[in-house]
Amino acid sequence: MQYASLDGILRTILTIVCIYYLLKFIGKLLFPIMVKTVVDKAQENFHQQQQSYQRPQNNQSDFVNTNSKSDKPREKKKVGEYIDYEEID
């Protein structure tokens, strides 16, 4: 049976703490760069979508309404009359 030595435990804890702080430091450096990249890409996609909406489409501008019933407003279907029920104790 092997026993853990105090020296081994302290070295493991120190290694874990060092790795934690190293990742935290690298995260502080890389996180703003990653966020800026994502925001720039989203902004570029947004501008491309806006430009595609601003350009007139040929098939949309040549649209002619051939529906003759469009002059009259549609009547709503009458489902039935509303009945108000009262609760009886």
Side-chain angles (χ1 to χ4, degrees):
M1 181 184 260
Q2 294 181 351
Y3 294 101
S5 66
L6 183 62
D7 185 37
I9 293 174
L10 291 177
R11 187 179 305 147
T12 304
I13 291 173
L14 183 63
T15 304
I16 291 172
V17 169
C18 288
I19 290 173
Y20 170 75
Y21 281 110
L22 182 66
L23 290 176
K24 192 173 175 182
F25 178 73
I26 291 173
K28 283 185 180 182
L29 293 177
L30 294 180
F31 185 72
I33 296 170
M34 290 174 24
V35 169
K36 183 176 182 343
T37 304
V38 170
V39 168
D40 288 344
K41 188 169 185 172
Q43 187 176 15
E44 181 181 327
N45 288 339
F46 178 74
H47 286 299
Q48 286 177 354
Q49 287 178 356
Q50 289 296 323
Q51 288 175 355
S52 69
Y53 284 124
Q54 289 176 354
R55 279 186 252 137
Q57 300 288 337
N58 291 339
N59 54 358
Q60 288 181 354
S61 61
D62 296 339
F63 178 73
V64 177
N65 190 359
T66 58
N67 189 1
S68 62
K69 295 180 181 180
S70 65
D71 296 337
K72 299 177 184 177
R74 287 188 174 181
E75 293 184 21
K76 294 182 180 178
K77 292 183 180 179
K78 294 184 180 179
V79 178
E81 72 178 62
Y82 177 74
I83 300 174
D84 188 22
Y85 292 98
E86 293 183 14
E87 293 184 24
I88 300 175
D89 292 325

